[in-house]
Amino acid sequence: MFISLLLLCHFYTAYVIQLWNNLKKHYPNIRISLLTSESARIQYLQELTLENGEEIFTVSNLPRRHFLAYYVAIRQLPHFDIIQPLWLDIRWGVFAGSFKNKAEHIYISVGGSDVYRQSKNGLTKYYQKRLIKRASVISSETSQTRELFYETYGEWTRAIPHHIVRFGVDVIDSIKRYNTDAVSQLKAKWNIPPDKTVVMLGYNGSKEHQHLAMICAIEKLLPEALDKCFFIIPMTYGVPNEAYRLQVEESISRITDRYMILDTFLRTDQMAEITIVTDIMLHMQTTDQLSSTMMAHLFQGNVVLAGSWLPYSDLKEKGILLFDVDDFHSLVPALNDVVQNVGIYKKKCEINRIKVYEFSSWEYCIKGWYSIYEALTKRHQR
């Protein structure tokens, strides 16, 4: 039984690459195509191998609201078993009816920003609902996101099957390739002092990561705790503007000279190296569904201090250990304690490795994606 699948994603993202490659690796009976922008198509063609019956379709790089380009592109599509919008993008909602005519089923995979941020815009929410009404099945990465989805879009959405399916974390597999004694060598490679406790602030450059508030808390650390730290601030993507990046750097530089700002693209192996040299991750983002970077740190056995408002009950139910912080005032004593007892905390976090692998590795996660495709295809082939 061959399954024809069309993914919808107008921009380039590693999530498409990972999902595509892992599906092809484990399930050779699936034929995957993609509808994206012309500029993104160039990047995808450099990383994806297309088989017979697979194609990367494009939408002209016209302004966002020039929907004629989408109309033309959709009209020219062949018919698929399943069309899957990766996230509730307004573009796909506008043409929800046209997509429904091009597939037996629409399967929506919900992103955290869809519910937590994008739905706050009335027009966006209207078009998101147009797409939801035509869905045969929906998935989220956590049960808390699923519940918020029901609250956001209406109780009527509970009638649509809604599964918990997660993107895998490719950095986990990359981490596994390193020896357990690689830390000292990697610290030298990244010019990190060998005797310092490495603290990472967030995982990208968006303001939602609240870098300035984290730095304000760091400034209040006990002198002996601050002296033990080296700080890494990832800003490889999501930075709103150069002024914000400079503001973050100026703020941390007033406190210490032991820091590094990552502002260029990192390959998967480089992200693994940064995770390996890190001891503590501060994750105080305003909203999140399930951070792949955080999962990599948990797998490595790093200590994660996370905002208690983030929807991680699924992790805790699996026995995965992370430490809640209620606010930035509470972050100060929590970080003081972890820095001065980092060995004890990291020993406690060793229990996470197997649990996180079963929760977030592609080896396990890909089964959930395929089971949905298989069930949908069997439904209309009866």
Side-chain angles (χ1 to χ4, degrees):
M1 177 183 67
F2 281 94
I3 300 173
S4 60
L5 168 69
L6 175 68
L7 301 176
L8 306 182
C9 185
H10 73 93
F11 55 91
Y12 173 83
T13 170
Y15 286 115
V16 168
I17 303 294
Q18 294 174 39
L19 179 60
W20 184 303
N21 287 338
N22 279 281
L23 282 171
K24 301 297 291 185
K25 175 182 177 181
H26 294 280
Y27 305 102
N29 64 316
I30 195 164
R31 294 291 179 267
I32 311 172
S33 293
L34 172 68
L35 177 62
T36 191
S37 66
E38 289 180 348
S39 57
R41 182 177 188 270
I42 296 170
Q43 293 177 280
Y44 283 123
L45 285 174
Q46 294 173 352
E47 299 189 49
L48 295 174
T49 301
L50 304 182
E51 298 182 15
N52 289 335
E54 298 180 333
E55 181 60 83
I56 299 182
F57 303 98
T58 60
V59 177
S60 299
N61 287 325
L62 295 173
R64 176 175 178 176
R65 299 194 183 280
H66 200 307
F67 289 119
L68 177 61
Y70 291 90
Y71 177 77
V72 172
I74 296 167
R75 282 287 300 271
Q76 294 173 346
L77 290 173
H79 195 272
F80 293 89
D81 292 323
I82 303 163
I83 290 181
Q84 180 181 359
L86 291 172
W87 310 296
L88 281 167
D89 195 298
I90 188 173
R91 296 164 177 81
W92 316 134
V94 170
F95 294 102
S98 299
F99 282 120
K100 183 64 175 176
N101 291 331
K102 288 291 183 176
E104 297 296 325
H105 300 283
I106 290 180
Y107 161 31
I108 301 171
S109 44
V110 177
S113 63
D114 294 335
V115 184
Y116 295 108
R117 291 194 285 273
Q118 302 301 327
S119 66
K120 306 302 181 187
N121 179 291
L123 182 62
T124 298
K125 185 175 179 179
Y126 169 78
Y127 283 114
Q128 287 178 329
K129 282 186 171 183
R130 291 189 81 242
L131 193 57
I132 293 167
K133 288 176 181 177
R134 291 165 174 82
S136 297
V137 66
I138 299 170
S139 69
S140 297
E141 291 202 79
T142 70
S143 57
Q144 284 175 278
T145 301
R146 179 170 59 187
E147 285 303 314
L148 185 59
F149 179 92
Y150 295 145
E151 295 175 16
T152 302
Y153 300 106
E155 286 296 307
W156 62 270
T157 61
R158 291 183 184 272
I160 306 170
H162 197 142
H163 301 276
I164 303 301
V165 178
R166 289 177 286 276
F167 283 97
V169 180
D170 63 341
V171 177
I172 286 176
D173 291 315
S174 189
I175 290 172
K176 288 177 63 181
R177 299 188 186 105
Y178 289 87
N179 296 325
T180 54
D181 59 353
V183 175
S184 58
Q185 294 177 337
L186 291 176
K187 278 190 170 182
K189 176 180 177 178
W190 288 90
N191 296 316
I192 297 172
D195 59 336
K196 296 300 179 184
T197 297
V198 179
V199 182
M200 178 177 286
L201 281 62
Y203 62 85
N204 72 41
S206 69
K207 287 186 177 182
E208 285 77 13
H209 279 261
Q210 306 192 91
H211 304 93
L212 299 176
M214 285 191 283
I215 293 170
C216 184
I218 289 167
E219 189 173 13
K220 298 174 184 176
L221 289 177
L222 295 171
E224 56 268 32
L226 180 61
D227 186 60
K228 293 180 179 180
C229 294
F230 182 92
F231 300 97
I232 296 178
I233 306 178
M235 305 193 84
T236 57
Y237 67 96
V239 184
N241 51 58
E242 180 63 13
Y244 181 70
R245 192 199 70 80
L246 289 173
Q247 187 180 13
V248 170
E249 182 163 14
E250 289 171 3
S251 297
I252 191 69
S253 66
R254 287 197 296 266
I255 300 170
T256 178
D257 59 0
R258 294 185 299 275
Y259 70 89
M260 173 171 58
I261 292 182
L262 303 173
D263 55 8
T264 57
F265 174 80
L266 296 180
R267 302 186 308 272
T268 300
D269 62 307
Q270 292 174 315
M271 289 189 285
E273 291 176 357
I274 291 296
T275 305
I276 290 169
V277 301
T278 298
D279 298 293
I280 304 165
M281 179 191 183
L282 306 184
H283 185 36
M284 305 291 285
Q285 192 176 6
T286 54
T287 62
D288 185 47
Q289 180 170 215
L290 190 65
S291 161
S292 61
T293 302
M294 181 189 72
M295 296 310 299
H297 281 274
L298 290 169
F299 174 78
Q300 175 61 20
N302 297 339
V303 183
V304 174
L305 299 179
S308 59
W309 56 87
L310 296 171
Y312 297 148
S313 60
D314 288 2
L315 295 177
K316 296 166 187 176
E317 289 173 5
K318 294 291 184 181
I320 296 171
L321 181 62
L322 67 164
F323 299 90
D324 284 345
V325 179
D326 291 333
D327 50 38
F328 288 96
H329 177 75
S330 304
L331 178 60
V332 179
L335 186 54
N336 268 325
D337 188 44
V338 175
V339 168
Q340 299 191 83
N341 300 282
V342 68
I344 296 173
Y345 276 91
K346 293 195 74 172
K347 186 68 177 177
K348 292 179 180 178
C349 293
E350 289 177 0
I351 64 169
N352 285 339
R353 195 171 184 91
I354 295 176
K355 295 175 181 177
V356 171
Y357 189 80
E358 293 176 352
F359 192 88
S360 285
S361 69
W362 273 113
E363 179 184 349
Y364 283 84
C365 291
I366 198 63
K367 299 172 185 177
W369 294 93
Y370 184 76
S371 67
I372 293 177
Y373 304 139
E374 185 179 43
L376 288 174
T377 307
K378 285 181 177 178
R379 189 191 303 178
H380 75 256
Q381 289 185 348
R382 288 172 183 168

